[in-house]
Amino acid sequence: MKKPTHLTVEYVLEVLLKKGRITKDQYQDVQIKGNAQRAKLQKYQETNASRRQYQAANIITPAEIISSFNLLIPDGSGRLLSEDDITRAVAEESGMEYKKIDPLKLKLDVVTSHISKPYAMRHLVVPIEENNTLVTLAVVDPYNLDHIESLQIAKNIKVTLVLTSKTDVLKIIREFYGFRASVQAAESERITSTELGNLEQYIKLRGQDEIEANDQHITSAVEYLMHYAFDQRASDIHIEPKREKSYVRLRIDGVMHYIYTIPRALHAPILSRIKIMSRMNIAEKRRPQDGRIKTNYGGKEMELRVSTIPVAFGEKVVIRIFDPEVLMQDLDQLGFYPREYQLYNAFIHRPNGIILVTGPTGSGKTTTLYSSLKSLSSPDINIITVEDPIEMVIEDFNQIGVQHTAGVSFANILPYILRQDPDVIMVGEIRDKETADHAIQSALTGHLVLTTLHTNDSPSAIIRLMDIGIPYYLIASTVVGIVAQRLVRKICPHCRAIREVAPDDPENKLLDEKVSKLYYGEGCSECRNTGYKGRTGIFEVMEMTENVKNALTRTVTINKLNKAIAADGMMDLKQVALRKMIEGVTTYEEVYSVSG
């Protein structure tokens, strides 16, 4: 195969076809649609890029175009062809080493001292290693290397080249010329405090490439950190002070990931900047504080809830990120199976009654409730919520935040809500008999009430209500349905693979019908080598049928309730999780984590 002067879609397709990574039909399909796809990607990137990103936005690589088609690799693994797969195949063909870059193993001075940020963005190249006078450069195109010779002459260095993906190169440029450079600059200036500035409730974050080098370094570091968390789909940012340093960790898909260590001297300035953004008292260091930040990312508004608490070596801060696209989804996208979806959809369209959503902290209850309210929201329905605290401010709802110091609690606010002519009431949580009594009365007087309980499954919710003093006959007459839920991580579609399962393996011991193969994630750049990307809900939906109502007596037991719901054909959490495992949505390890 003749080597080109630069990578083209045609050449890369031929390489992939030759190596069996795509089929002939896929080859022809991309050939036909390639130009249109390039224009689509170009328009999207230029629209979402800042003025300083235009050079990188204009370079649409063949790997980007081909991977955007989400082609299935024809090896039976069920994996999608990723940008890394394509880059690896091109590296094999060109004879250049393929390198998957680990940012944690790179040194700031190596990355930033040899070339400028504009040069790196223009040519999509970053230095990653240095050995005496030999510098290793990561490049995106193994054939378009005219600028390398000029670089060697200008910098008086010798270089060796490795091939990596454009996505990885841009991540390194953004992180090293952004967050890490800002932290290092702040440390060199020994910054110990920040100016208060203007306390704005709405904080507009600048684009990653719009942050000027001469801006206050602490401010820049905090903004880069938030951008990085948004890019990684993180739900929480943790900044934790230790004896000699501070750790930055992100929670992604429910799992904590170590990201970076910052010098101990910079912990207080960074914390002060976050406090200013969230309108906290920066002088108060001995008591926990809560604040909020409203900002923008990718054309959508983001809510950040900030919490600080004093720990052994200072104040720890946790920033909870609320993405409206995650918090409020279409109900059919949450993970319900058809039967469960139809039942729950019928529950929330009842004119009155109580719907209970149960599960431990972090099981997705808030997402289910907000998504339910979103589906009900319309100009002719009055929705009022009582939350502790308000998770995300949504104009379509009338939201009330619990304020214990002002005497506003779940229990004592409900009688006043009934005077506000509500159609739907959402109560953040039933914690005591008084709140439960008011919720029952609201349902009896013709209102639909959505609320949560902390129980492990649906039948336990009934026992819990009886334990706090609610008579069984009131439960039978007001509760229309109960949903128990958990979140499981989904197998990454980019590195999904098949593994054989023996008849006596633990997986088959849980199943009525044995299986010979299951799916798992091998780990790739798309999923941070975890094998998982994204999460989905598993739902146990219990309807208050005549069988269940007949089983409800003063001395009802869990066993009696379980028999009643089994007769109704309800799938419990374990059965739903196993079904997701068999279908290749999740793994045995995730099933075990939620069902034991």
Side-chain angles (χ1 to χ4, degrees), residues 294-417:
K294 192 173 186 179
T295 187
N296 60 294
Y297 172 70
K300 59 187 176 185
E301 290 189 351
M302 305 281 279
E303 292 260 359
L304 312 180
R305 198 173 74 212
V306 185
S307 170
T308 66
I309 193 167
V311 294
F313 299 108
E315 284 183 280
K316 178 186 176 190
V317 62
V318 176
I319 303 173
R320 169 66 60 86
I321 300 169
F322 292 104
D323 185 339
E325 292 182 359
V326 174
L327 198 59
M328 294 206 308
Q329 304 179 42
D330 293 334
L331 285 179
D332 57 359
Q333 300 300 311
L334 295 179
F336 284 102
Y337 280 119
R339 175 190 176 275
E340 283 68 29
Y341 171 75
Q342 290 171 6
L343 275 176
Y344 184 70
N345 198 43
F347 294 166
I348 64 173
H349 284 91
R350 293 278 292 268
N352 59 278
I354 296 177
I355 300 167
L356 295 170
V357 180
T358 75
T361 301
S363 59
K365 299 188 298 295
T366 301
T367 297
T368 300
L369 288 175
Y370 270 60
S371 299
S372 302
L373 295 179
K374 174 192 172 186
S375 71
L376 292 172
S377 179
S378 69
D380 55 346
I381 290 182
N382 180 20
I383 298 174
I384 300 180
T385 75
V386 191
E387 305 169 61
D388 184 18
I390 295 173
E391 301 284 11
M392 186 167 188
V393 178
I394 300 166
E395 292 185 3
D396 293 343
F397 312 154
N398 299 289
Q399 295 170 283
I400 302 168
V402 167
Q403 301 179 55
H404 296 289
T405 55
V408 179
S409 66
F410 285 127
N412 60 25
I413 197 64
L414 279 172
Y416 296 96
I417 288 176

Side-chain angles (χ1 to χ4, degrees), residues 251-297:
R251 187 177 295 279
I252 304 170
D253 294 336
V255 178
M256 294 288 280
H257 295 268
Y258 164 79
I259 299 300
Y260 192 60
T261 299
I262 59 177
R264 186 68 177 85
L266 299 186
H267 180 83
I270 287 175
L271 189 66
S272 294
R273 174 58 187 164
I274 293 171
K275 284 183 174 181
I276 290 169
M277 294 171 73
S278 53
R279 306 185 75 179
M280 292 184 186
N281 181 357
I282 65 169
E284 180 58 74
K285 302 178 186 300
R286 299 170 300 170
R287 297 176 181 173
Q289 294 190 70
D290 291 305
R292 305 181 80 91
I293 300 171
K294 192 173 186 179
T295 187
N296 60 294
Y297 172 70

